[in-house]
Amino acid sequence: MTNALLMSSSRMGQQGYLSHAHEQIHRLLQHKHQEILFIPYAAVSFSFDEFEKIVQPVFKSLGYTLKSIHHFSDPIAAVNQAQAIAVGGGNTFALLKRLYDAQLIDLISQRVKHDNLPYIGWSAGSNIATPSIRTTNDMPIVQPPSFRALNLTPFQINPHFISGKPVGHNGESREERLNEFLTLNPNEELLALYEGTALLIENDQATILGDKNALWFKAPNQIDEIKTNQQFPLNMIKGIE
């Protein structure tokens, strides 16, 4: 029983923070008033207090209260008592290391998968919802004990997907980077999400939300589209067996 909203990004275009995601958030939380436990551990260049002040008003405007985990003396108890969890974006490696340091990886996974705890993530918060962080776009500025993550989806996700190369850029494109992953992990597939889109998981079913289709990377140079707003079985995309 997994109910999760995995957003590609906190912003779309020039819109405000999470402005594009209001209906996506309601789709998961069903307008039911609840206090959301916010995990700001992906923040690096700004404080957890600052991160909370960015996110809190958005959820308040939608009818939900939100409190950051760093205000609790016992993070494990906070997760055990949470009614819903939201994990913000930033650096995926810092986020995962801090979750390991707080002994929260297995606990969050269990609460979401077995206790039906709603989970919202964006950017880095979506990266850690997959089996591992191997398809993050972030720089490894710290070293977590493992790349293993929450495993809320059976397959990898690449958020903030952008196709092709900017003019003058001589490094690899995102497609080339993801082809490298598929070359070395031939038994896995992955999902790429354009900014402003999200993957909604409802038990064993999934739906792409937003204005753009998602890209289903099945093998090197083999890409299909998954249309937005059309439900599909979560296990349609091959993950770690």
Side-chain angles (χ1 to χ4, degrees), residues 129-153:
T130 67
S132 78
I133 63 168
R134 291 170 294 156
T135 52
T136 178
N137 304 311
D138 295 338
M139 184 176 288
I141 58 175
V142 293
Q143 184 170 330
S146 168
F147 286 172
R148 181 179 67 86
L150 299 177
N151 198 31
L152 306 183
T153 68

Side-chain angles (χ1 to χ4, degrees), residues 17 40-44 46 51 87-95 122-125 127 136 138-139 160:
Y17 200 88
Y41 292 168
V44 175
F46 54 99
F51 205 174
V87 183
N91 185 275
T92 306
F93 292 89
L95 169 60
W122 54 93
S123 189
N127 277 318
T136 178
D138 295 338
M139 184 176 288
H160 293 285

